[in-house]
Amino acid sequence: MKQRHDDPQFKFRIPLEMKERLEAAAKENGRTLTAEILQRLTWTLEGGSSGFDLQSPNFVFGLIRGDVENVPEEGVTIKVNLEEADLVAMYRTMSFEAKKAVYSLSDVVADKTATINDKMTDEIDTWGEAHDLTRAEAIRRLIARGLEADK
């Protein structure tokens, strides 16, 4: 959801713990706090009572592992393509030990991805600060440079 500067603003009180949880989720999802709150409100208002991003990898992995609290009573339908359906079918035939290995591997991949993401974010921020740019503007300019280099 695109935010505009002329959108209405208002103050509201929120418990500190909830704010911290939202900030952590925003960081994990690569959004500002405002964007995270707007996304969650949109899910709740437009996506049914669950308020979950049913296509989000974090939600899907959490659902598989049993980490998702308050799963919607109406059930969860996740759209998959043929390759994903094959993977689900393969997963269902795996032994418990093989499933544990997949979980462990997904944790390693997630940790490595987060580390790479953090490093890239730090490098973008450093470059942006050196050029007196916001993160968003630094990313736009670095992408434009890459596109120019590819020509």
Side-chain angles (χ1 to χ4, degrees), residues 49-52 54 59 68-76:
S49 62
S50 68
F52 292 116
L54 301 182
F59 173 76
V68 175
E69 297 176 12
N70 303 319
V71 177
E73 288 182 21
E74 66 268 17
V76 176

Side-chain angles (χ1 to χ4, degrees), residues 57-82:
N58 289 339
F59 173 76
V60 174
F61 283 124
L63 186 63
I64 290 169
R65 291 181 181 174
D67 296 339
V68 175
E69 297 176 12
N70 303 319
V71 177
E73 288 182 21
E74 66 268 17
V76 176
T77 302
I78 300 172
K79 298 175 189 171
V80 295
N81 61 34
L82 290 176

